[in-house]
């Protein structure tokens, strides 16, 4: 299956970076806007707002390395191929290949963490950044308590050494996906059946299961080292944080204050939904992103 029906007028592309081949769809006209998905999804999660944003921007929706139709490079003992640094470099090289040296950027969940690292490592590339339903990785780990560990158990499950989570998830990936996507203040009725079918198709691939575990293993090790190195310097580009009023982030964290600890120019807003903003509250998410990114 392709996602063509979900992204009318968009063009499918594959771009080779220095570390992976990235699958994406591209559409629209105007200033470039890169949209990064989260776990355990693909670029299909943007289907309810990307076509509308494409009326104002040139919209690029890739699959992160390790997810969807993008490559799943071999990993290393330090998980570096799945660090947010490696994932961010993919996206810089994708945008460069498309002719965009500077761009705006929005990321949901894991994509928000890639966006954060991209803005850190390549500040000259990023004009504005929006992160959806996350606080900074280091903040969330540092503030872990029983409530967070219970709600976000997967953070601690997926980082277990290979191949414990891979085997357990792989025994029934459709069941695991259903439980994961139906949590975090959301329910499965919010998902378009075509998008959900694509998430399930991609997540049945053992290589995707392994790569996504490596994504989390990197977050608990190398990514934290990178964040600690940068802790003394704040992001300068404008940052918008949006989060779901029914989700864990709203209940256990203070997203605006958390992001002000790492960025100088922060604003934010809760939306009437759970974790999956772009699919549960597409109108509100679209309106906030359009206003922030300056669509006309």
């Amino acid at each position: 299956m392709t996602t063509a029906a979900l992204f009318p007028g968009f063009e499918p592309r594959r771009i080779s970076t220095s570390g992976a081949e990235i699958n994406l769809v591209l559409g629209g006209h105007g200033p470039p806007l890169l949209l990064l998905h989260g776990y355990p999804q693909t670029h299909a999660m943007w289907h309810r707002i990307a076509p509308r944003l494409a009326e104002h921007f040139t919209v690029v929706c890739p699959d992160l390395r390790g997810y969807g139709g993008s490559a799943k490079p071999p990993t290393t003992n330090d998980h570096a191929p799945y660090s947010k640094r490696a994932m961010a470099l993919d996206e810089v090289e994708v945008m460069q290949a498309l002719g965009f040296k500077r761009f705006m950027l929005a990321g949901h969940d894991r994509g928000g963490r890639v966006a954060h690292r991209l803005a850190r490592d390549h500040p000259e590339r990023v004009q504005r950044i929006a992160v959806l339903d996350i606080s900074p990785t280091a903040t969330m780990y540092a503030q872990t308590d029983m409530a967070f560990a219970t709600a976000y158990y997967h953070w601690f499950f997926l980082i277990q050494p290979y191949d414990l989570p891979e085997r357990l998830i792989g025994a029934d990936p459709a069941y695991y996906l259903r439980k994961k996507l139906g949590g975090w203040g959301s329910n499965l009725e919010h998902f378009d059946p075509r998008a959900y079918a694509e998430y399930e198709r991609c997540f049945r691939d053992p290589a995707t299961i392994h790569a996504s575990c490596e994504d989390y293993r990197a977050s608990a090790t190398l990514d934290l080292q990178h964040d600690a190195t940068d802790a003394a310097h704040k992001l300068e580009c404008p940052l918008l944080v949006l989060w779901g009023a029914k989700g864990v982030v709203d209940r256990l964290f203070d997203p605006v204050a958390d992001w002000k600890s790492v960025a100088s120019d922060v604003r934010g807003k809760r939306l009437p939904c759970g974790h999956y903003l772009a699919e549960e509250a597409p109108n509100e998410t679209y309106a906030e992103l359009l206003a922030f990114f300056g669509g006309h």
Side-chain angles (χ1 to χ4, degrees):
M1 172 189 167
T2 69
T3 57
L6 295 173
F7 293 86
F10 279 60
E11 172 192 358
R13 295 281 294 273
R14 296 189 68 83
I15 294 177
S16 292
T17 72
S18 57
E21 188 176 53
I22 300 299
N23 180 63
L24 61 89
V25 295
L26 167 71
H29 302 280
L33 173 59
L34 176 64
L35 302 179
L36 302 178
H37 69 86
Y39 176 89
Q41 299 181 286
T42 73
H43 73 271
M45 63 151 285
W46 297 108
H47 72 97
R48 287 181 172 151
I49 62 174
R52 297 166 70 183
L53 289 169
E55 297 173 7
H56 307 272
F57 307 98
T58 301
V59 177
V60 182
C61 300
D63 293 330
L64 297 172
R65 72 158 63 187
Y67 292 85
S70 290
K72 287 85 178 167
T75 193
T76 56
N77 289 338
D78 65 356
H79 317 295
Y82 291 91
S83 67
K84 303 306 115 16
R85 174 160 286 165
M87 290 182 169
L89 182 59
D90 283 338
E91 305 310 331
V92 168
E93 293 179 356
V94 161
M95 295 303 275
Q96 182 76 37
L98 293 172
F100 304 127
K101 291 186 177 181
R102 296 195 75 211
F103 48 88
M104 293 171 286
L105 173 61
H108 173 251
D109 188 84
R110 310 310 290 175
R113 305 191 190 287
V114 176
H116 179 197
R117 177 44 53 191
L118 196 160
R120 285 284 195 193
D121 287 355
H122 310 276
E124 75 285 355
R125 301 282 187 168
V126 180
Q127 294 169 295
R128 289 177 163 249
I129 178 174
V131 291
L132 276 58
D133 211 58
I134 61 169
S135 283
T137 305
T139 302
M140 295 180 77
Y141 271 124
Q143 296 182 18
T144 294
D145 58 11
M146 184 174 179
F148 177 66
T150 302
Y152 270 42
Y153 76 90
H154 66 289
W155 272 38
F156 308 96
F157 170 55
L158 298 176
I159 67 175
Q160 297 305 308
Y162 176 83
D163 60 352
L164 176 66
E166 284 92 341
R167 280 183 177 268
L168 296 179
I169 295 169
D172 194 345
Y175 173 83
Y176 175 83
L177 188 72
R178 187 165 64 250
K179 288 295 184 180
K180 186 51 57 193
L181 290 175
W184 296 331
S186 309
N187 62 65
L188 296 179
E189 286 72 29
H190 290 297
F191 298 107
D192 185 299
R194 298 169 297 173
Y196 189 89
E198 179 67 357
Y199 304 147
E200 185 174 297
R201 182 187 73 81
C202 292
F203 205 72
R204 286 182 180 276
D205 181 357
T208 299
I209 296 172
H210 175 51
S212 61
C213 291
E214 284 296 297
D215 171 8
Y216 281 83
R217 290 173 182 134
S219 274
T221 53
L222 200 52
D223 292 348
L224 291 178
Q225 296 171 28
H226 294 158
D227 288 346
T229 300
D230 294 334
H233 305 287
K234 290 192 173 185
L235 293 175
E236 297 298 332
C237 66
L239 186 147
L240 171 70
V241 55
L242 302 173
W243 68 97
K246 302 175 185 177
V248 175
V249 170
D250 183 73
R251 189 166 74 249
L252 300 181
F253 297 93
D254 184 343
V256 172
D258 293 343
W259 283 103
K260 283 184 176 179
S261 72
V262 301
S264 299
D265 181 0
V266 178
R267 80 268 352 236
K269 188 174 185 179
R270 63 169 53 86
L271 300 182
C273 58
H275 179 61
Y276 299 97
L277 281 70
E279 290 168 286
E280 295 180 56
N283 292 335
E284 295 88 343
T285 304
Y286 164 75
E288 294 298 329
L289 293 180
L290 184 66
F292 177 65
F293 289 128
H296 301 289

